[in-house]
Amino acid sequence: MHNQHNPAATQPQTRPRQFKQRLLKLVLFCGFLILFIFLLARLDSRTADNHKPWHTDFTIATFEPNGSFLALPYSYVQQHSLANITFLAKNPNGSKQKNDSDTFSYKVVQQTAQQQLIQTSLRTSHSITVATYQATASTVTPIKSTAYAVDQISMAAVLALISVLSLQFLYRFLRRRYSHQKTK
């Protein structure tokens, strides 16, 4: 029987290790990316307390007597008197296509006899703006708006990459230091 030399048998098993390391880096990157997207959006959140101007996509649900609703920008609601409408929802939630690519939805989060806490979401091709406000029949009091924008993704990706590379550097530094101390 002829015995051939198998080069793969003599090489250490590095491919599965490299695959696991790359997979770990990818998982860490994705985790950091999601984390930084939410952190950047939270840093940009607008509230009555931080006195930043409300996001331009802050959208209010206005209701007609028949229960149908319109999605109007908060800036429009501030500047115009609206007849035959109420800011109180008859249904606990609703959704509609605002145009070809935008979707608006609302949800009543809390309700008393005279007021509702309403959360809205406007999804466009470039952002998702989530707004919370207190509504009575004739008034709206903004509480919070948060925008998740496409431009935040690139910044979050850079921060995620820096984080993964920093962890890799720290791991290699500590591993070398530990192995160097073991040899002494």
Side-chain angles (χ1 to χ4, degrees):
M1 196 163 159
H2 185 63
N3 197 359
Q4 291 182 342
H5 179 65
N6 184 355
T10 60
Q11 291 180 350
Q13 295 274 335
T14 58
R15 285 185 192 250
R17 185 176 172 198
Q18 287 176 344
F19 175 76
K20 287 179 185 176
Q21 288 174 346
R22 288 182 180 148
L23 184 61
L24 177 62
K25 288 177 192 176
L26 178 63
V27 168
L28 285 172
F29 176 81
C30 291
F32 279 126
L33 179 67
I34 292 167
L35 173 70
F36 286 123
I37 287 171
F38 282 99
L39 286 176
L40 289 170
R42 186 163 186 182
L43 284 172
D44 187 47
S45 284
R46 315 296 168 88
T47 65
D49 295 337
N50 68 19
H51 304 292
K52 293 180 184 177
W54 299 107
H55 291 101
T56 56
D57 283 345
F58 189 124
T59 306
I60 303 294
T62 59
F63 302 92
E64 296 183 15
N66 66 5
S68 66
F69 70 95
L70 293 171
L72 296 176
Y74 177 64
S75 58
Y76 181 87
V77 172
Q78 284 180 301
Q79 297 169 2
H80 297 86
S81 62
L82 304 169
N84 299 329
I85 63 104
T86 180
F87 295 111
L88 295 176
K90 287 184 179 181
N91 297 319
N93 56 43
S95 178
K96 67 169 40 176
Q97 200 75 12
K98 199 168 174 218
N99 57 35
D100 290 343
S101 63
D102 299 352
T103 304
F104 175 80
S105 62
Y106 76 89
K107 178 178 163 185
V108 177
V109 180
Q110 288 179 344
Q111 181 168 348
T112 64
Q114 302 297 320
Q115 59 185 350
Q116 295 174 332
L117 182 66
I118 298 177
Q119 184 176 62
T120 62
S121 174
L122 177 63
R123 296 174 182 265
T124 67
S125 60
H126 65 280
S127 69
I128 299 171
T129 303
V130 178
T132 306
Y133 59 91
Q134 194 75 38
T136 67
S138 60
T139 64
V140 169
T141 306
I143 296 173
K144 183 177 184 180
S145 71
T146 304
Y148 301 92
V150 171
D151 59 347
Q152 292 170 335
I153 294 172
S154 57
M155 180 58 135
V158 169
L159 292 170
L161 182 61
I162 290 169
S163 299
V164 170
L165 292 174
S166 298
L167 282 176
Q168 181 180 355
F169 175 79
L170 181 64
Y171 171 76
R172 287 181 179 171
F173 173 77
L174 292 175
R175 201 170 109 203
R176 284 187 191 130
R177 188 170 181 196
Y178 178 73
S179 66
H180 185 264
Q181 287 177 350
K182 245 179 141 176
T183 59
K184 283 186 177 182

